[in-house]
C-alpha cells in the first residue's frame, strides 16, 4: 500500500514552535512517526511521501494546504492517507482533520488521524473521518499508531468497523441499533445502582459539545431598528404554497405581512405535528405576534417590522439541517438590513 | 438551552405568545409583555446565555 | 399494601359454545361477548377475531393492548374509576390470563409514522413481546365518528370491558403460579446502607390537548395534575391506562411494567430499596412545567428520601425536555439520576438526539429502533378497521421497528439499544 503522511513542523523534524510558520512541503519517504507507521501497516506498505507544514501556516492557510495535500496524494497515487497523530496540539488537529476530510471526500481512499478528545479538530471533523483517541500523552505514540493502522486496514478491506470502545476511535456520533439480551429496565437499574454508589458507569449517550455562539452586541436604538419574526412552529399561509412538510422540514418560507396589522384566523395553517395547533389557528398572533409588533411600530417604539415573517417546521428536525436553515434565514435577513430577530417556538 | 444567548420564556407550548384561557384583552396585554421582554433582551448586552 | 397476582397461563384461544378456561385453553363465546360489548350504544357493530402466535396475520392500527385481568370477586375493583367503582388498586388478589391480550383497533386511524401494528409471524413477531401472545382483536364500528375523543373513549371502554370479561373465566380457579408484590420497607435495619431508588414516571404529556373524557389515572384525565406518589402496585393493578395519543406505551406494559417489576425485584433481593413511584405529567405551560419538575424532584428527596432517581418520559420531544429538567433538579438536590430517552435522531446522528444539555444528567439509557426494520410480504390475514387500511397493511413491503407495538417501548420493555458509533 502506498501511503502519504501529513506531519507538522515538530513531528516532521523541522523544529519546535519557533518554526510554526514554516510553509508546506513534501519529501519522499517516511519521516519520524511515519517510519513506525509503515512498519505497523505491514510489509507491503510504504510511506511514499511525507507532507510537512508549520502549524501556524496551516491554520492561516487552511484552504491552500488542503489543496496542496490532495494534490500530493494524487501525485503519489496513494492508497492510504494518514495525518498526525496530533495529541493535544490544536492547530495541528484542525489541519489534520481538514486534510483527512478533504482527501476522503475528493479521492475516496481510507484516511485516519488521531488526537486527544479535547482537541478542537475533534468536534469539527469527527463525523466525517475516524479519529483515534490518542489522549494527551505523546509517549503513547506507538499504541496510537497501532490503532490507526488497524482502522486503515479495516477501511481498506471494507471490513465492518467495531464500536468506539473496541477500535479506540472517538465516537462519530452516528447512531445504530443493537439488539440485546437484556431489556431497558435491567440496564436502567444497573446504571442507577452504579451511579448512586459512585461506581463507574458508561452512559449510552453522551453530550455533544456544541460550539458556543458568541452573543451579538445588543441593539442600540430600537426606535430605528428593523425587527423580524422567525418561527419554527410551522405557520404558513392557507394552502401551504411552498409545500412545507409538517416534520423535519428542509425548507423555510417567507410570508408577506407588510400590509397586515395582525394575523387572522383562517388565513393560515400549521405544518407542525408536534403540538396541538388549534390555539395558534384560532389566532396566529399567538405564534407570530404581528399585532403587537405593528402597534409598537406605529407608536414609534420600534423602527420597522420587517415585511415578512420567516417560517419552518422545527419538529424532529436534525441539528445539521436546522443549522443550515438558520444560516440561510439569517443571511436573508442580514442582507435585507434587519437588525434583530424574535424567534418563536412551541 | 443550547446555542441561543437571549431566551425569553413563552406562555405555553400551544400558545407561546398567548393564552387561550384568558380574555382577549388580557391575552393581548400578555402578548405585549412577552414581546417587551424580548425587546428588552435584544437591547441588553449579554456575555453568557441568559 | 400487598397484591397477589394469580397467573393462569394461556396457550391457545378459540371460539366456542361457552366462555371458559380449560387447562391452558381459553374458549370464548363470540356472540355472548359481542352482546356484552354492544351494550355500549355508541358502538354500532364489532368485528371480533382471534390471532395467535405464528399465524400469518397483520393487525392495525392498534389503539391499545390490555392484558385480561380481573379482581378476585370481593377483592377489589376492576380498573377503578374507569370501569369499576373507586377503590385503591394494588391490593387483594387479581387473576391474570398470562399469555393473552385484548387488542383494540382504532377504526379512524390511518397507518403513518406513529401508527401501531402487530405482526404475528416471522422476524417482526420475534422482535416484540406481543408476538408471543394470543390476541383477541376487536375492530369496532362506531355509530358516530364526528368527534374523535368520543370515538377514543368508546375504544378505551371496550378495551377494559373485554379484558375483564375474559379474565372472569378464572374466578375461583386456583393456580400454583402466584406473584406477590409488596413494597415493604419496614425492615429498616437490614436495609441500612442500601441505596434508596425512586422512580419518577411521566404518565402523560400535555403538548396535545387533554381530552375531557380521556381516562388515564383512576379515570382522571390528568388535566392540571401535579406530581403525586403512588404505590407501584397501583400501576400494576389497573389504576393507570395509556392515553389516547401516545407512541411506545401500551396499557399491557403498565400492568406488566418492566421497570417497576425490576425495581421491585431488586428491592426483594436487597440490592436497592425501592423508595417509591412519583407519577407526573409533562405540562404544556411553562409555569406548570417548572412547578411540576420542582415538585417531583423535591418529593423524591424529601418524602421518598431517595438516594438516586430513575426517570422515564411519555411521548416525544417536549416531555423529553421536561424529564431532563426534572433530572437536573434531582442532581442539584444531590440525587444521581438515570434517564431513558428514545431514539429521536431523525438523521441518525447523536447530536440530534440529546435535546437537553445538562452536564450533570450524564447517565442515559438510549432506547433504539430508528434503523431496525424488516422486509415483509403480504400476510394471509389482515385485521384492520377499514378496507382502505387493510389494503395498505397488506401491501407493506417493509415494517419499521417503531411502527410495531412492543419493539421500541418507553416503559422499559425494549431490547433494542441505540449505540453511538
Amino acid at each position: 500500500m502506498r501511503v502519504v503522511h501529513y506531519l507538522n513542523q515538530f513531528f516532521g523534524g523541522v523544529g519546535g514552535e519557533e518554526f510554526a510558520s514554516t510553509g508546506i512541503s513534501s519529501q519522499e519517504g517516511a519521516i519520524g512517526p511515519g517510519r513506525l507507521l509503515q512498519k505497523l501497516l505491514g510489509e507491503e506498505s510504504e510511506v511514499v511521501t511525507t507532507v510537512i507544514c508549520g502549524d501556524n501556516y496551516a491554520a492561516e492557510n487552511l484552504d491552500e494546504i488542503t489543496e496542496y495535500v490532495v494534490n500530493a496524494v494524487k501525485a503519489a497515487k496513494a492508497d492510504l492517507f494518514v495525518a498526525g497523530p496530533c495529541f493535544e496540539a490544536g492547530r495541528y488537529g484542525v489541519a489534520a482533520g481538514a486534510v483527512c476530510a478533504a482527501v476522503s471526500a475528493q479521492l475516496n481512499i481510507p484516511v485516519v488521524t488521531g488526537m486527544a478528545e479535547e482537541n478542537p479538530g475533534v468536534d469539527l471533523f469527527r463525523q466525517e473521518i475516524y479519529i483515534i483517541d490518542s489522549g494527551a500523552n505523546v509517549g503513547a505514540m506507538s499504541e496510537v499508531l497501532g490503532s490507526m493502522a488497524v482502522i486503515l486496514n479495516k477501511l481498506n478491506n471494507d471490513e465492518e468497523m467495531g464500536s468506539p470502545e473496541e477500535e479506540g476511535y472517538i465516537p462519530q456520533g452516528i447512531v445504530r441499533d443493537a439488539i440485546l439480551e437484556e431489556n431497558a429496565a435491567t440496564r436502567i437499574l444497573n446504571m442507577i445502582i452504579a451511579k448512586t454508589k459512585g461506581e463507574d458507569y458508561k452512559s449510552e449517550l453522551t453530550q455533544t459539545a456544541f460550539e458556543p455562539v458568541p452573543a451579538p452586541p445588543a441593539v442600540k436604538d430600537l426606535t430605528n431598528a428593523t425587527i423580524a419574526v422567525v418561527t419554527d412552529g410551522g405557520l404558513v399561509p392557507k394552502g401551504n404554497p411552498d409545500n412545507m412538510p409538517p416534520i423535519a422540514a428542509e425548507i423555510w418560507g417567507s410570508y408577506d405581512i407588510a400590509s397586515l396589522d395582525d394575523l387572522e384566523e383562517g388565513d393560515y395553517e400549521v405544518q407542525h405535528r408536534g403540538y396541538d395547533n388549534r390555539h395558534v389557528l384560532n389566532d396566529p398572533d399567538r405564534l407570530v405576534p404581528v399585532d403587537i409588533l405593528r402597534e409598537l411600530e406605529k407608536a414609534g417604539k420600534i423602527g420597522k417590522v420587517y415585511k415578512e415573517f420567516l417560517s419552518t417546521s422545527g419538529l424532529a428536525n436534525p441539528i445539521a439541517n436546522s443549522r443550515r436553515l438558520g444560516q440561510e434565514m439569517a443571511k436573508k435577513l442580514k442582507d435585507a438590513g434587519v437588525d434583530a430577530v424574535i424567534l418563536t417556538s412551541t | 438551552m443550547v446555542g441561543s444567548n437571549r431566551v425569553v420564556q413563552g406562555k405555553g407550548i400551544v400558545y407561546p405568545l398567548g393564552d387561550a384561557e384568558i380574555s382577549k384583552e388580557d391575552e393581548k396585554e400578555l402578548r405585549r409583555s412577552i414581546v417587551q421582554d424580548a425587546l428588552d433582551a435584544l437591547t441588553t448586552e449579554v456575555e453568557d446565555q441568559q | 399494601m400487598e397484591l397477589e397476582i394469580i397467573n393462569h397461563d394461556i396457550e391457545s384461544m378459540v371460539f366456542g359454545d361457552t366462555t371458559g378456561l380449560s387447562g391452558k385453553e381459553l374458549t370464548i363465546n363470540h356472540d355472548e361477548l359481542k352482546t356484552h360489548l354492544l351494550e355500549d350504544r355508541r358502538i354500532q357493530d364489532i368485528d371480533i377475531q382471534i390471532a395467535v402466535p405464528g399465524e400469518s396475520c397483520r393487525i392495525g392500527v392498534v389503539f391499545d393492548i390490555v392484558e385480561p385481568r380481573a379482581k378476585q370477586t370481593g377483592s377489589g375493583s376492576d380498573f377503578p374509576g374507569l370501569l369499576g367503582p373507586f377503590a385503591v388498586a394494588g391490593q387483594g388478589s387479581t387473576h391474570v390470563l398470562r399469555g393473552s391480550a385484548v387488542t383494540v383497533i382504532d377504526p379512524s386511524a390511518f397507518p403513518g409514522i406513529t401508527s401501531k401494528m402487530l405482526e404475528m409471524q416471522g422476524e417482526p413477531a420475534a422482535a416484540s413481546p406481543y408476538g408471543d401472545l394470543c390476541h383477541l382483536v376487536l375492530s369496532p364500528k362506531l355509530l358516530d365518528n364526528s368527534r374523535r375523543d368520543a370515538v377514543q373513549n368508546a375504544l378505551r371502554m371496550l378495551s377494559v370491558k373485554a379484558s375483564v370479561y375474559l379474565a372472569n373465566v378464572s374466578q375461583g380457579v386456583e393456580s400454583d403460579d402466584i406473584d406477590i408484590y409488596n413494597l415493604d420497607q419496614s425492615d429498616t435495619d437490614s436495609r441500612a446502607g442500601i441505596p434508596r431508588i425512586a422512580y419518577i414516571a411521566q404518565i402523560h404529556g400535555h403538548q396535545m390537548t387533554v381530552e375531557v373524557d380521556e381516562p388515564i389515572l383512576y379515570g382522571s384525565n390528568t388535566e392540571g395534575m401535579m406530581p403525586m406518589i403512588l404505590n407501584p402496585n397501583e400501576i400494576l393493578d389497573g389504576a393507570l391506562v395509556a392515553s389516547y395519543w401516545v407512541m411506545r406505551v401500551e396499557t399491557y406494559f403498565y400492568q406488566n411494567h418492566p421497570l417497576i417489576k425490576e425495581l421491585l425485584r431488586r428491592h426483594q433481593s436487597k440490592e436497592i430499596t425501592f423508595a417509591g413511584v412519583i407519577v407526573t405529567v409533562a405540562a404544556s405551560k411553562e409555569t406548570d412545567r417548572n412547578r411540576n419538575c420542582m415538585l417531583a424532584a423535591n418529593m423524591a428527596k424529601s418524602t421518598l428520601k431517595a438516594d438516586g432517581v430513575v426517570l422515564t418520559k411519555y411521548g416525544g420531544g417536549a416531555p423529553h425536555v421536561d424529564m431532563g429538567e426534572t433530572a437536573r433538579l434531582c442532581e442539584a438536590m444531590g440525587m444521581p439520576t438515570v434517564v431513558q430517552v428514545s431514539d429521536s435522531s431523525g438523521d441518525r446522528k447523536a447530536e440530534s438526539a440529546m435535546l437537553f444539555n445538562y452536564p450533570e444528567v450524564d447517565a442515559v439509557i438510549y432506547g433504539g429502533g430508528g434503523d431496525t426494520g424488516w422486509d415483509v410480504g403480504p400476510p394471509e390475514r389482515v385485521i384492520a378497521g377499514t378496507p382502505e387500511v387493510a389494503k395498505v397493511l397488506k401491501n407493506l413491503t417493509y415494517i419499521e421497528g417503531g411502527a410495531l407495538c412492543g419493539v421500541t417501548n418507553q416503559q422499559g420493555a425494549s431490547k433494542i439499544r441505540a449505540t453511538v458509533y
Side-chain angles (χ1 to χ4, degrees):
Chain A
M1 304 263 93
R2 296 170 66 80
V3 186
V4 171
H5 192 188
Y6 175 91
L7 292 171
N8 75 349
Q9 81 281 355
F10 175 76
F11 289 98
V14 177
E17 185 59 34
E18 329 77 83
F19 292 90
S21 297
T22 309
I24 190 163
S25 65
S26 318
Q27 285 181 47
E28 258 187 57
I31 293 184
R35 294 198 195 98
L36 179 53
L37 176 67
Q38 69 188 357
K39 271 216 200 85
L40 290 166
L41 280 169
E43 291 275 298
E44 323 81 44
S45 289
E46 190 196 339
V47 174
V48 297
T49 305
T50 301
V51 177
I52 301 174
C53 188
D55 282 339
N56 282 346
Y57 190 87
E60 287 156 22
N61 300 283
L62 203 53
D63 287 341
E64 181 200 311
I65 67 137
T66 303
E67 199 184 326
Y68 181 102
V69 167
V70 171
N71 288 334
V73 173
K74 265 197 232 161
K77 295 190 174 37
D79 305 295
L80 308 171
F81 177 75
V82 179
C86 314
F87 302 95
E88 285 192 311
R91 287 160 295 157
Y92 189 11
V94 173
V99 298
C100 279
V103 169
S104 174
Q106 293 182 41
L107 303 178
N108 207 17
I109 60 171
V111 307
V112 75
T113 182
M115 58 189 88
E117 210 176 349
E118 313 76 59
N119 192 310
V122 167
D123 278 335
L124 292 172
F125 297 106
R126 69 156 95 196
Q127 288 182 10
E128 296 165 61
I129 59 174
Y130 284 106
I131 303 176
I132 288 291
D133 188 350
S134 70
N137 178 16
V138 183
M141 176 67 83
S142 22
E143 286 87 23
V144 174
L145 285 174
S147 302
M148 287 165 68
V150 170
I151 300 260
L152 281 176
N153 282 326
K154 283 206 170 176
L155 287 173
N156 198 40
N157 298 327
D158 227 352
E159 276 173 50
E160 201 177 323
M161 196 64 70
S163 69
E165 294 75 43
E166 287 162 357
E167 311 280 11
Y169 61 88
I170 295 170
Q172 295 191 303
I174 295 175
V175 182
R176 275 199 253 151
D177 286 341
I179 301 188
L180 307 174
E181 283 300 308
E182 347 152 280
N183 64 11
T186 307
R187 287 159 29 220
I188 292 170
L189 260 301
N190 291 344
M191 200 177 279
I192 192 63
I193 291 171
K195 189 171 177 183
T196 307
K197 285 185 167 167
E199 290 160 13
D200 277 334
Y201 58 93
K202 193 146 194 335
S203 180
E204 294 179 358
L205 178 62
T206 45
Q207 302 289 354
T208 304
F210 292 106
E211 290 169 51
V213 178
V219 175
K220 292 280 182 293
D221 178 13
L222 275 178
T223 64
N224 276 320
T226 301
I227 312 285
V229 180
V230 175
T231 185
D232 73 359
L235 190 71
V236 296
K238 192 110 187 142
N240 197 6
D242 296 318
N243 262 320
M244 179 81 62
I247 176 171
E250 291 180 22
I251 59 165
W252 52 275
S254 23
Y255 304 114
D256 183 58
I257 50 171
S259 54
L260 297 178
D261 281 348
D262 87 313
L263 301 183
E264 293 196 17
E265 180 180 6
D267 290 340
Y268 295 90
E269 55 183 78
V270 169
Q271 287 297 327
H272 187 303
R273 270 201 236 129
Y275 69 99
D276 187 331
N277 55 32
R278 63 181 98 167
H279 301 298
V280 168
L281 288 174
N282 286 340
D283 182 2
D285 296 284
R286 286 173 172 147
L287 182 63
V288 177
V290 173
D291 57 353
I292 299 300
L293 287 170
R294 192 64 73 198
E295 238 180 51
L296 293 166
E297 182 190 53
K298 290 195 172 145
K301 300 235 173 89
I302 62 178
K304 226 163 113 25
V305 178
Y306 181 64
K307 63 185 168 127
E308 292 165 328
F309 75 88
L310 272 51
S311 174
T312 187
S313 176
L315 175 62
N317 209 322
I319 301 247
N321 190 48
S322 304
R323 233 183 239 125
R324 176 186 60 80
L325 294 173
Q327 281 163 351
E328 289 174 7
M329 288 172 159
K331 178 163 193 331
K332 175 196 166 105
L333 295 176
K334 193 136 200 247
D335 289 346
V338 168
D339 299 296
V341 173
I342 297 179
L343 172 60
T344 72
S345 188
T346 63
Chain B
M1 291 297 294
V2 181
S4 176
N5 292 293
R6 295 175 167 95
V7 182
V8 165
Q9 255 189 27
K11 183 65 183 173
I13 292 177
V14 293
Y15 29 67
L17 293 115
D19 189 339
E21 292 167 26
I22 58 183
S23 74
K24 284 284 163 206
E25 302 79 58
D26 287 346
E27 186 181 18
K28 232 179 162 177
E29 201 44 57
L30 169 68
R31 184 149 57 251
R32 268 184 209 108
S33 81
I34 298 176
V35 173
Q36 191 56 53
D37 283 345
L39 295 175
D40 290 343
L42 288 171
T43 50
T44 307
E45 288 300 344
V46 295
E47 297 243 327
D48 250 328
Q49 292 183 357
Q50 316 229 325
Chain C
M1 194 148 77
E2 182 166 295
L3 173 64
E4 180 189 55
I5 295 283
I6 305 168
N7 291 296
H8 307 275
D9 278 319
I10 301 296
E11 280 171 14
S12 74
M13 193 191 271
V14 295
F15 289 123
D17 290 336
T18 313
T19 298
L21 181 60
S22 170
K24 299 191 181 183
E25 178 163 279
L26 173 63
T27 305
I28 302 169
N29 180 320
H30 175 281
D31 293 346
E32 183 186 281
L33 172 60
K34 184 163 175 172
T35 306
H36 178 59
L37 297 176
L38 286 178
E39 282 171 12
D40 185 335
R41 290 173 26 219
R42 296 173 293 183
I43 302 177
Q44 180 176 53
D45 196 4
I46 178 160
D47 173 64
I48 303 175
Q49 296 193 44
I50 294 172
V52 298
E55 264 200 79
S56 172
C57 181
R58 189 170 300 150
I59 301 164
V61 174
V62 172
F63 167 75
D64 194 17
I65 303 176
V66 182
E67 188 172 47
R69 292 187 172 211
K71 301 300 291 182
Q72 169 71 23
T73 311
S75 166
S77 171
D78 295 313
F79 298 99
L82 164 55
L83 184 65
F86 281 111
V88 176
Q91 324 180 82
S93 303
T94 303
H95 291 277
V96 176
L97 300 187
R98 186 170 60 190
S100 70
V102 171
T103 295
V104 176
I105 287 182
D106 185 343
S108 313
F110 210 79
I113 56 167
T114 58
S115 71
K116 306 190 280 195
M117 280 188 267
L118 287 181
E119 187 86 347
M120 299 307 298
Q121 189 187 72
E123 275 183 37
S128 164
Y130 297 123
D132 282 334
L133 307 178
C134 295
H135 292 261
L136 178 77
V137 185
L138 304 176
S139 185
K141 264 190 190 27
L142 280 294
L143 265 174
D144 178 1
N145 288 293
S146 56
R147 268 181 52 214
R148 182 94 182 104
D149 57 305
V151 168
Q152 288 165 316
N153 184 273
L155 300 176
R156 168 53 67 220
M157 298 314 299
L158 206 58
S159 70
V160 294
K161 277 183 87 173
S163 155
V164 174
Y165 171 91
L166 289 186
N168 273 335
V169 299
S170 57
Q171 286 296 342
V173 176
E174 295 196 350
S175 166
D176 290 334
D177 199 334
I178 310 275
D179 296 312
I180 303 286
Y181 294 100
N182 188 336
L183 189 58
D184 184 3
Q185 296 179 30
S186 55
D187 51 348
T188 41
D189 288 338
S190 68
R191 289 190 174 273
I194 298 176
R196 293 179 60 85
I197 306 296
Y199 173 25
I200 297 180
Q202 282 182 14
I203 62 170
H204 197 32
H206 292 180
Q207 76 216 83
M208 293 298 168
T209 300
V210 177
E211 301 295 355
V212 163
D213 247 330
E214 182 177 6
I216 291 168
L217 177 61
Y218 283 110
S220 153
N221 67 356
T222 77
E223 178 76 67
M225 182 182 131
M226 287 196 261
M228 50 179 279
I229 291 173
L230 289 181
N231 185 298
N233 290 4
E234 297 175 79
I235 294 176
L236 299 176
D237 196 33
L240 194 53
V241 295
S243 63
Y244 292 163
W245 184 95
V246 68
M247 301 177 291
R248 311 190 191 107
V249 169
E250 295 88 37
T251 299
Y252 185 95
F253 279 121
Y254 277 142
Q255 298 164 302
N256 290 284
H257 201 295
L259 184 51
I260 288 181
K261 285 171 74 170
E262 185 66 18
L263 285 156
L264 282 168
R265 195 179 68 72
R266 307 245 193 166
H267 175 86
Q268 302 298 0
S269 68
K270 298 217 171 122
E271 229 183 308
I272 63 164
T273 292
F274 185 5
V277 182
I278 296 164
V279 292
T280 185
V281 296
S284 167
K285 285 193 187 179
E286 195 60 24
T287 44
D288 295 334
R289 165 188 300 181
N290 291 329
R291 184 184 307 110
N292 286 351
C293 294
M294 173 190 79
L295 289 173
N298 184 54
M299 276 168 158
K301 178 84 182 170
S302 311
T303 310
L304 296 184
K305 303 205 188 323
D307 298 310
V309 180
V310 296
L311 300 96
T312 60
K313 65 171 176 126
Y314 192 94
H320 180 123
V321 173
D322 228 287
M323 175 178 67
E325 172 66 7
T326 309
R328 184 186 72 79
L329 291 171
C330 288
E331 296 278 351
M333 292 177 184
M335 298 179 291
T337 61
V338 169
V339 298
Q340 179 187 240
V341 309
S342 56
D343 184 7
S344 58
S345 65
D347 62 349
R348 307 304 295 156
K349 294 210 180 128
E351 67 172 0
S352 299
M354 201 56 168
L355 293 190
F356 52 78
N357 202 13
Y358 309 128
E360 60 276 45
V361 182
D362 63 356
V364 180
I365 294 296
Y366 194 3
D371 62 22
T372 297
W374 305 274
D375 294 316
V376 294
E380 274 167 36
R381 184 154 76 112
V382 173
I383 310 179
T386 63
E388 294 76 38
V389 173
K391 190 157 175 229
V392 171
L393 292 180
K394 190 165 185 108
N395 291 331
L396 285 177
T397 53
Y398 183 78
I399 295 183
E400 269 181 27
L404 216 55
C405 298
V407 173
T408 62
N409 172 278
Q410 300 200 94
Q411 296 152 305
S414 172
K415 289 189 174 169
I416 303 188
R417 177 202 142 160
T419 306
V420 182
Y421 273 76

